[in-house]
Amino acid sequence: MRKLLIVYIVLIGLFVLYVYQYQTSETTNNEWSEQELRGTIDETYVMVTFQTGIDYWKRPLKGFEDAAEALNVSVEYRGATQYDVNEEITVLEQVIAKNPSGIAISTLDPEALNPVINKAVDSGIPVVMFDADAPDSKAYAFLGTNNHYAGVTAAHKMAELLNESGEVGVVTHPNQLNHQERTQGFRETIEKEYPGMTVVDVKDGRGDQMISKEVSEELMREHPNIKGIFASEANGGVGVGKAVLEQQKKGELHIISFDTDKGTLDMIDEGVISATLAQGTWEMGYWSLQFLFHLQHDLAGDLEGETNLPRYVDTGIKVVTKENVNDYYPVD
């Protein structure tokens, strides 16, 4: 009987211990859930870009939407339909008038949007830049590629392809800061590190396939010995590729492009484009919304003073060639 009583006492003790641990665990989980980062569905954050119809924006927008789902907030996508800074300014003014919870902006001009960006910040709307910065504005952060380093990487890849010898050109956006930085990194690296190579010209492709094709044909006419072209964005790369095909120079003229839209990937697979630089575009969108949420909910310091968010986040690049191109096609 005494042994049975001891067994009962032990069993009761184990049960009490189990209940205590369960309640402690539940309390901890409840406290964590109550503190979980969750907004409300009536909080609306807006992504603003230019040339809204191009494939490039799909990945940043997907990241933006994925962050919204995680945070239980709403998002909208707005922007200029053309490569037109005045249209982007007008769209941004319209967005500000609706007083959203935050705005993520990619600007085609590093100066022109500053007054309207500052207007948004001064009115209490958190603003971050992604992909293309406006460094002299009051935006709280920039999330994007280290574009100078991307240009350096493109130069080294081009030198590898040309055995460090030959004339090369650039097709770019000369008025857009991120493209200026890519071009600068490319030119400086060729000039300083590869004496057997020369950057013969820089052309404005305006982010348009046909214009990029036309200026590439000009490059080939004006410099018949040209051996490589660096295109600082995807439409430009495809345009250069079309010019190379039309001039029957496939395999003779190496192209290094930017980004991983399907047209670019297809041309890499076909051997028309030698390489492209893949940006962390999903990361740009995802972390832009995370930053805006933290700013809106006073989780990042004082909006009128210093915040504890980094001013710049490098979202990285990777070199894509025929050897790894299949890794960058979207999975159905």
Side-chain angles (χ1 to χ4, degrees):
M1 187 70 180
R2 186 171 181 177
K3 289 182 180 179
L4 187 59
L5 181 60
I6 293 172
V7 170
Y8 282 154
I9 292 172
V10 170
L11 290 175
I12 291 169
L14 290 173
F15 178 74
V16 169
L17 179 62
Y18 168 79
V19 171
Y20 173 78
Q21 289 178 332
Y22 175 83
Q23 289 177 338
T24 302
S25 175
E26 282 296 293
T27 301
T28 302
N29 288 337
N30 287 338
E31 287 175 353
W32 184 88
S33 297
E34 290 170 1
Q35 295 171 7
E36 187 178 3
L37 294 179
R38 300 285 287 174
T40 58
I41 206 68
D42 59 350
E43 285 179 51
T44 301
Y45 297 83
V46 185
M47 175 178 281
V48 177
T49 71
F50 50 91
Q51 288 181 297
T52 53
I54 64 175
D55 286 346
Y56 176 74
W57 303 120
K58 291 180 180 179
R59 288 291 293 166
L61 182 57
K62 180 66 166 59
F64 206 65
E65 292 170 340
D66 286 349
E69 183 177 353
L71 296 169
N72 190 44
V73 297
S74 300
V75 294
E76 292 181 4
Y77 176 47
R78 299 286 307 280
T81 57
Q82 306 297 322
Y83 187 75
D84 184 338
V85 68
N86 292 317
E87 185 184 359
E88 188 174 19
I89 289 171
T90 299
V91 170
L92 186 51
E93 290 277 14
Q94 293 169 349
V95 170
I96 292 169
K98 293 184 177 181
N99 193 34
S101 297
I103 309 173
I105 306 168
S106 180
T107 174
L108 60 83
D109 188 304
E111 298 292 338
L113 265 70
N114 285 352
V116 68
I117 291 170
N118 294 345
K119 175 182 175 180
V121 174
D122 290 341
S123 65
I125 302 171
V127 175
V128 299
M129 308 301 299
F130 75 98
D131 182 61
D133 197 9
D136 295 328
S137 73
K138 293 182 179 180
Y140 292 99
F142 169 59
L143 303 97
T145 302
N146 182 331
N147 288 294
H148 185 274
Y149 175 73
V152 171
T153 302
H156 289 314
K157 187 62 181 178
M158 185 68 80
E160 176 190 324
L161 293 167
L162 300 184
N163 295 315
E164 301 185 11
S165 177
E167 296 180 351
V168 296
V170 180
V171 174
T172 187
H173 283 313
N175 298 318
Q176 193 170 319
L177 180 61
N178 52 343
H179 296 282
Q180 292 171 3
E181 292 171 343
R182 293 169 194 173
T183 301
Q184 182 183 27
F186 183 83
R187 294 190 70 165
E188 287 179 353
T189 304
I190 296 295
E191 291 167 1
K192 293 178 180 178
E193 301 191 32
Y194 299 104
M197 298 175 66
T198 305
V199 179
V200 293
D201 204 354
V202 176
K203 298 285 190 181
D204 183 2
R206 298 182 62 187
D208 182 273
Q209 287 187 19
M210 292 309 298
I211 294 173
S212 296
K213 176 178 178 291
E214 291 168 4
V215 298
S216 299
E217 290 168 345
E218 286 178 14
L219 271 172
M220 287 184 265
R221 284 196 304 269
E222 295 166 0
H223 305 279
N225 295 320
I226 194 168
K227 297 299 181 184
I229 297 176
F230 170 46
S232 68
E233 53 81 38
N235 278 331
V238 173
V240 177
K242 289 181 177 180
V244 165
L245 287 172
E246 190 167 297
Q247 299 299 314
Q248 298 183 345
K249 288 185 177 292
K250 177 183 174 181
E252 298 177 25
L253 192 152
H254 287 284
I255 304 166
I256 295 179
S257 188
F258 233 86
D259 301 320
T260 55
D261 65 294
K262 187 176 184 301
T264 300
L265 296 177
D266 287 347
M267 282 192 167
I268 291 176
D269 191 46
E270 294 160 8
V272 179
I273 294 176
S274 300
T276 191
L277 299 180
Q279 302 186 79
T281 49
W282 181 91
E283 290 82 358
M284 293 180 197
Y286 184 87
W287 290 109
S288 288
L289 185 51
Q290 289 282 353
F291 272 39
L292 291 172
F293 183 90
H294 279 69
L295 289 163
Q296 175 60 231
H297 288 267
D298 297 323
L299 301 172
D302 185 359
L303 290 183
E304 297 181 0
E306 292 294 324
T307 73
N308 54 24
L309 295 174
R311 174 62 184 81
Y312 170 57
V313 175
D314 180 1
T315 49
I317 57 165
K318 294 180 181 177
V319 178
V320 182
T321 64
K322 194 166 186 175
E323 284 68 35
N324 63 346
V325 68
N326 289 331
D327 296 338
Y328 290 85
Y329 279 101
V331 179
D332 294 330

